[in-house]
Amino acid sequence: MMSSVIFRCSRLAQHRFQHSYSTISVTVDKGLRVITLQRPDKFNAFNNEMYNEVLEDLHAAAEDDQTVVAAITGAGKYFSSGNDLNSFAAVSQDLEERKEFSKIKGQRLIKFVDAFIEFPKPLIGVVNGPAIGIGCTILGLLDVVYASERATFHIPFTALALTPEACSSYTFPKILGPATANEMLLFNRKLTATEAADRGLVTAEFPHDAMDKEIWPKIAKFAQLPKNSLIYSKALVRGGEKELLRDLNRKESERLQERWISDEVFNEAAKFLRSRKK
């Protein structure tokens, strides 16, 4: 169940708001909306509630007159460790139960990724640490990505018997080139922040200790630009591939729904969870 959104306002003249959720925190200050993934004890892994809350807030941000630019980052040492695989542990070997689990998961993923594809305002990633799985693939749908030197980028799909998501089967070859993208998508290659910046996935890499001083003031300045000009400019830059991305999102989800009922996936998820307990 999605959490209710509570609006608390301080210094109304500066349009400073804080929105309260369970798995994310959201602030809006002088045009800049910051969505922070807030499960640091779980390395900001996406569970059902986090998927729902990020989706909910992206819809709210799109309609919010006080939001000019939105940024997404993570609390703690990780940007996001990807999907919370504990959800697989709660599903039995019953085929019908797996099919229902897969269907719900697939529908949620389509809505979640669509929210990034359709987001009308500039959306910036501030990658404070490792970005894994869905925490990495969504970066291909953002407009600008800044990264800490401590960030790494890893999409271990085939190691978990899975397939690409969040349109990464298109965005990663387009951004990184086929050679690097294939190593990541097929053979689980992990990129450093420097490698990601050299290949175009990351706009710029920053010393970790300088992020607050260098990145956030830069993004705050972006939020002072004319809102409608930014919206119209983004529509011209990115609008041409929206239909392609929406279609691919559904094709990727269909394939994943097939994978999510397989013994291969459940076995790999169980193996991963066992390794984390050692």
Side-chain angles (χ1 to χ4, degrees):
M1 181 177 179
M2 292 187 187
S3 61
S4 59
V5 183
I6 303 168
F7 293 87
R8 297 196 302 276
C9 176
S10 64
R11 299 192 208 177
L12 184 59
Q14 293 184 3
H15 304 295
R16 180 175 297 170
F17 300 90
Q18 185 173 8
H19 304 206
S20 180
Y21 294 94
S22 297
T23 64
I24 64 174
S25 62
V26 179
T27 60
V28 184
D29 187 12
K30 299 178 183 176
L32 174 59
R33 189 185 203 94
V34 179
I35 303 168
T36 304
L37 307 178
Q38 284 282 3
R39 298 186 75 210
D41 57 323
K42 301 295 184 183
F43 305 112
N44 297 324
F46 275 83
N47 61 4
N48 294 343
E49 192 165 14
M50 183 179 279
Y51 271 110
N52 290 337
E53 290 186 343
V54 172
L55 172 62
E56 180 181 340
D57 200 71
L58 286 176
H59 286 320
E63 300 297 327
D64 178 24
D65 287 339
Q66 302 304 325
T67 297
V68 178
V69 169
I72 184 167
T73 190
K77 295 181 179 180
Y78 275 59
F79 177 70
S80 172
S81 59
N83 278 298
D84 190 334
L85 295 181
N86 283 294
S87 62
F88 287 89
V91 182
S92 76
Q93 294 184 354
D94 180 75
L95 181 58
E96 292 307 312
E97 184 179 345
R98 285 188 180 184
K99 285 181 178 179
E100 184 64 18
F101 166 80
S102 176
K103 179 181 177 181
I104 292 170
K105 196 171 176 64
Q107 290 172 341
R108 182 186 299 113
L109 181 63
I110 288 172
K111 291 177 183 178
F112 179 80
V113 175
D114 272 355
F116 284 86
I117 295 170
E118 300 288 350
F119 194 71
K121 301 170 184 178
L123 186 54
I124 298 172
V126 179
V127 184
N128 54 297
I132 302 170
I134 192 71
C136 183
T137 53
I138 59 171
L139 301 178
L141 298 172
L142 306 188
D143 301 301
V144 171
V145 178
Y146 297 123
S148 159
E149 62 190 345
R150 298 181 188 175
T152 55
F153 304 85
H154 191 203
I155 40 179
F157 294 133
T158 58
L160 294 169
L162 295 170
T163 52
E165 68 198 355
C167 303
S168 58
S169 60
Y170 168 78
T171 59
F172 274 55
K174 177 185 175 184
I175 294 167
L176 293 158
T180 299
N182 286 343
E183 278 197 301
M184 294 186 74
L185 292 164
L186 302 180
F187 303 124
N188 311 299
R189 178 181 174 181
K190 182 190 296 184
L191 295 186
T192 65
T194 299
E195 289 172 327
D198 288 345
R199 289 160 175 78
L201 180 63
V202 165
T203 308
E205 174 191 2
F206 290 83
H208 187 80
D209 293 338
M211 289 183 71
D212 285 346
K213 184 173 65 176
E214 296 190 35
I215 294 180
W216 291 111
K218 179 192 292 284
I219 299 174
K221 287 183 180 178
F222 297 160
Q224 300 308 303
L225 293 168
K227 180 176 63 176
N228 287 337
S229 178
L230 289 171
I231 290 172
Y232 297 146
S233 295
K234 177 171 176 173
L236 289 167
V237 171
R238 306 204 68 146
E241 60 184 14
K242 275 189 178 182
E243 185 175 350
L244 181 154
L245 293 173
R246 283 193 295 263
D247 181 59
L248 181 58
N249 180 25
R250 283 147 183 80
K251 289 179 179 177
E252 288 180 344
S253 178
E254 286 173 9
R255 178 61 66 189
L256 280 167
Q257 287 180 63
E258 295 173 4
R259 300 304 302 146
W260 287 328
I261 65 173
S262 70
D263 287 338
E264 265 191 335
V265 169
F266 278 83
N267 291 340
E268 292 301 330
K271 188 188 303 182
F272 174 81
L273 291 172
R274 286 195 300 271
S275 71
R276 293 294 295 268
K277 292 178 180 178
K278 292 180 180 178

